[in-house]
């Protein structure tokens, strides 16, 4: 049987079903080490994760497009032609969200009308993962237009949270979070416009990094027109995993340059990172002053305590202009939705998603030209104030949401609760408006789902976010293995 002790993999011959069960428990880092040492073949790892998909699907409706034949063919070819120098993700089983182009498959984005046209080439993030050696074992579900904190759509139905099927697995990368939480791949691609990496990771006790704006190239070759300007400046690509070490493993692979994205940014950091700088971490439980759930507060307290144990100096701070930042995010996004997306939503979206959009347009009224330009100018003021805060602290620990994970499809089934939902999620909107990196890390084994926090950094200080979040994770030493939804 395979066992893992301190990251070392011990292989025995005559692999049995229990061996395959052990493989899916390995982290991405552990799997990479086992593959590098030759203790296990790529085909064995791939087969174990595909078997896990077969065990869990279609029940969870997370991996909605399994790629067994292509994945096994790739794995066997990799074993037969093993390179001398292995790329960082060589042989690692991953999933891709169904809202980016994937050659030979559709990019429906949760919309039946778009589930027909076949993509002719990969999006840059897919190319980077493939170039890094990853084996794509399937594609994951997303809500219509990827505009919700809940994952269900008319094509594949509701994605279930493997911890508690009555709660959301998050959105819009809810298929990704559900998949990786129960071992269907060691990491899962996702993206984030208003929290769509951080909230799904939070909803399954997972780990992620919302990279700085421009850090990871983004583009869909099949798109009939360019992404609207505000999506260009607020939406990013990344991965969800079960540990911060696994997220870090993917980081250099994801951020490789692509000429498809002229907005890609190669800056190594914010320019303020110095080895001799104080290891000072800010923290804030309630930047909006509206109160948070008691378990959410405990998750922040656990993170602060762990950061202190790891050698950081915790400093309580009040993030500047937080409420205005969240409101500005909504005004800018909804102005763009009305001008550039609303016609398509009305035409192709379900009645439920159109009702949600109506509520959102009331909460964040679209602006006229003067209002749009004023909001854009105000964004720069807020960015400057947050940059000044990061002159004093290396990173900021704060909640992902003011509430534990919400009920599945709560926005559709209880439309009167949408204002409260958006109020709870403001913690994430600030990072999107300002283009900041933010890691999500588990810090509290609450019931029924573990909770975590965000570690937010200055623009381009992604590595600092990873460093702080990984130090917190290391000090807390929680069980981050996959769960069995059966």
């Amino acid at each position: 049987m395979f066992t893992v002790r301190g990251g070392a993999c011990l292989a025995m011959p005559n692999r049995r079903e229990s061996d395959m069960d052990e493989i899916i428990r390995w982290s991405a880092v552990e799997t990479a080490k086992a593959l590098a040492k030759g203790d296990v073949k790529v085909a064995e790892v791939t087969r174990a994760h595909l078997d896990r998909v077969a065990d869990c699907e279609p029940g969870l409706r997370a991996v909605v497009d399994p790629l067994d034949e292509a994945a096994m063919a790739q794995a066997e070819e990799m074993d037969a032609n093993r390179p001398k120098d292995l790329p960082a993700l060589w042989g690692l089983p991953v999933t891709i969200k169904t809202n980016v182009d994937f050659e030979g498959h559709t990019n429906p984005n949760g919309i039946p009308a778009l589930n027909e046209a076949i993509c002719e080439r990969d999006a840059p993030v897919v190319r980077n993962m493939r170039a890094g050696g990853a084996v794509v074992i399937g594609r994951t579900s997303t809500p219509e237009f990827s505009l919700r904190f809940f994952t269900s759509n008319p094509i594949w139905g509701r994605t279930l949270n493997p911890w508690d099927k009555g709660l959301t697995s998050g959105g819009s990368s809810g298929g990704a979070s559900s998949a990786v939480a129960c071992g269907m791949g060691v990491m899962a691609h996702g993206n984030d416009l208003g929290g769509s990496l951080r909230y799904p990771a939070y909803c399954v006790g997972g780990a992620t990094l919302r990279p700085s704006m421009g850090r990871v190239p983004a583009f869909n070759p099949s798109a009939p027109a360019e992404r609207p300007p505000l999506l260009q400046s607020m939406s990013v690509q990344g991965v969800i995993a079960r540990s911060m070490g696994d997220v870090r493993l993917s980081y250099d692979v994801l951020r490789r340059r692509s000429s498809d994205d002229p907005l890609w940014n190669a800056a190594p950091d914010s320019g303020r990172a110095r080895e001799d700088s104080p290891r000072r971490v800010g923290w804030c439980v309630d930047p909006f002053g509206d109160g948070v759930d008691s378990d959410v507060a405990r998750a922040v307290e656990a993170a602060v305590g762990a950061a202190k144990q790891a050698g950081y100096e915790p400093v309580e701070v009040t993030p500047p202009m937080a409420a205005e930042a969240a409101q500005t995010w909504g005004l800018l996004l909804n102005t763009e939705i009305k001008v550039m997306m609303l016609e398509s939503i009305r035409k192709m979206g379900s009645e439920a998603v159109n009702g949600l959009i109506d509520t959102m347009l009331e909460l964040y009224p679209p602006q006229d030209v003067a209002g749009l330009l004023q909001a854009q100018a105000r964004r720069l003021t807020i960015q400057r104030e947050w940059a000044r805060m990061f002159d004093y602290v290396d990173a900021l620990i704060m909640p992902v949401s003011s509430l534990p994970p919400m009920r599945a499809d709560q926005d559709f089934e209880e439309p009167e609760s949408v204002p409260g939902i958006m109020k709870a999620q403001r913690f994430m909107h600030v990072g999107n408006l300002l283009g900041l990196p933010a890691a999500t890390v588990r810090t509290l084994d609450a019931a029924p789902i573990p909770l975590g926090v965000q570690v937010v950094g200055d623009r381009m200080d992604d590595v600092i976010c990873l460093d702080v979040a990984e130090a917190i994770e290391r000090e807390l030493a929680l069980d981050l293995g996959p769960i069995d939804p059966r």
Side-chain angles (χ1 to χ4, degrees), residues 248 279 312 462-472 474:
R248 184 189 292 274
R279 286 163 54 89
Y312 291 94
D462 302 46
V463 172
I464 289 180
C465 293
L466 289 170
D467 288 344
V468 175
E470 196 166 10
I472 290 170
R474 184 170 56 249

Side-chain angles (χ1 to χ4, degrees), residues 28-29 88-89 92 186-187 207-209 239-255 312 439 461-474:
V29 171
L89 306 185
L92 298 186
V186 295
M187 61 182 66
T208 193
L209 172 71
V239 300
I240 299 173
R242 294 191 298 273
S243 73
M244 293 310 308
D246 291 355
V247 176
R248 184 189 292 274
L249 183 66
S250 72
Y251 179 67
D252 284 336
V253 172
L254 291 179
R255 69 186 187 97
Y312 291 94
D461 277 345
D462 302 46
V463 172
I464 289 180
C465 293
L466 289 170
D467 288 344
V468 175
E470 196 166 10
I472 290 170
E473 183 180 270
R474 184 170 56 249

Side-chain angles (χ1 to χ4, degrees), residues 35 43 60 107 126 188 221 268 280 284 290 303 324 336 408 439 482:
L35 288 164
L60 287 179
N107 175 2
V126 177
R280 188 182 295 127
C284 184
D290 295 321
E324 186 172 353
E336 186 164 273

Side-chain angles (χ1 to χ4, degrees), residues 112-421:
L114 298 181
N115 198 27
E116 297 177 0
I118 301 298
C119 300
E120 296 183 357
R121 61 189 182 104
D122 291 335
V125 68
V126 177
R127 290 203 304 272
N128 282 353
M129 293 185 82
R130 289 191 196 271
V135 178
V136 182
I137 63 169
R139 300 195 304 149
T140 57
S141 194
T142 186
E144 293 168 87
F145 301 99
S146 296
L147 287 177
R148 297 171 57 213
F149 290 110
F150 308 83
T151 297
S152 63
N153 62 60
I155 306 172
W156 293 297
R158 178 188 293 174
T159 297
L160 303 183
N161 188 322
W163 286 94
D164 185 326
K165 295 176 175 58
L167 299 179
T168 180
S169 61
S172 62
S173 305
S177 64
S178 180
V180 79
C182 57
M184 294 190 284
V186 295
M187 61 182 66
H189 159 260
N191 26 54
D192 192 314
L193 171 62
S196 292
L197 283 166
R198 290 162 289 163
Y199 190 60
Y202 173 77
C203 287
V204 299
T208 193
L209 172 71
R210 190 214 108 92
S212 293
M213 193 63 233
R215 177 64 79 196
V216 178
F219 177 63
N220 270 328
S222 70
E226 291 287 356
R227 288 181 300 157
L230 297 174
L231 262 67
Q232 294 175 20
S233 65
M234 296 198 296
S235 177
V236 299
Q237 306 292 321
V239 300
I240 299 173
R242 294 191 298 273
S243 73
M244 293 310 308
D246 291 355
V247 176
R248 184 189 292 274
L249 183 66
S250 72
Y251 179 67
D252 284 336
V253 172
L254 291 179
R255 69 186 187 97
R256 291 173 180 167
R257 176 186 181 275
S258 170
S259 57
D260 278 338
D261 186 356
L263 301 179
W264 178 81
N265 194 322
D269 53 48
S270 66
R272 56 165 288 283
R274 304 186 310 274
E275 290 186 4
D276 60 346
S277 64
R279 286 163 54 89
R280 188 182 295 127
V281 176
W283 64 275
C284 184
V285 173
D286 185 12
F288 302 103
D290 295 321
V292 301
D293 181 88
S294 59
D295 279 344
V296 170
R298 288 175 56 214
V300 173
E301 292 164 4
V304 172
K308 185 174 182 179
Q309 289 178 333
Y312 291 94
E313 176 191 351
V315 180
E316 187 171 8
V317 299
T318 301
M321 306 175 72
E324 186 172 353
Q327 181 71 10
T328 302
W329 169 87
L331 295 178
L332 289 174
L333 180 62
N334 277 1
T335 301
E336 186 164 273
I337 285 176
K338 180 181 179 182
V339 173
M340 303 193 74
M341 298 173 62
L342 191 58
E343 182 178 352
S344 295
I345 293 173
R346 296 302 191 212
K347 180 179 179 181
M348 296 187 290
S350 67
E351 181 179 350
V353 84
N354 269 285
L356 174 64
I357 293 298
D358 288 338
T359 302
M360 292 292 294
L361 293 173
E362 292 176 6
L363 289 173
Y364 302 105
Q367 304 294 290
D368 59 16
V369 173
L372 176 63
L373 295 178
Q374 289 165 1
Q376 285 279 40
R378 197 62 176 160
R379 171 161 65 173
L380 186 60
T381 300
I382 302 169
Q383 287 174 321
R384 181 178 298 111
E385 292 303 311
W386 277 66
R388 287 171 175 164
M389 179 183 68
F390 288 120
D391 283 339
Y392 181 65
V393 296
D394 293 331
L396 171 67
I397 297 169
M398 69 176 188
V400 176
S401 171
S402 67
L403 298 172
M406 296 177 233
R407 291 179 294 281
D409 277 348
Q410 181 177 328
D411 58 342
F412 280 1
E413 296 178 357
E414 303 171 40
E416 70 280 2
S417 71
V418 170
I421 291 171

Side-chain angles (χ1 to χ4, degrees), residues 54-101:
D55 286 343
C56 296
E57 299 295 2
L60 287 179
R61 294 182 286 280
V63 179
V64 292
D65 184 17
L67 303 173
D68 297 53
E69 185 176 341
M72 286 306 302
Q74 179 185 348
E76 290 165 2
E77 191 278 333
M78 293 172 74
D79 285 328
N81 298 280
R82 179 187 174 100
K84 181 179 179 181
D85 297 318
L86 301 182
L89 306 185
W90 192 80
L92 298 186
V94 305
T95 58
I96 301 294
K97 189 175 175 181
T98 51
N99 71 348
V100 297
D101 285 6

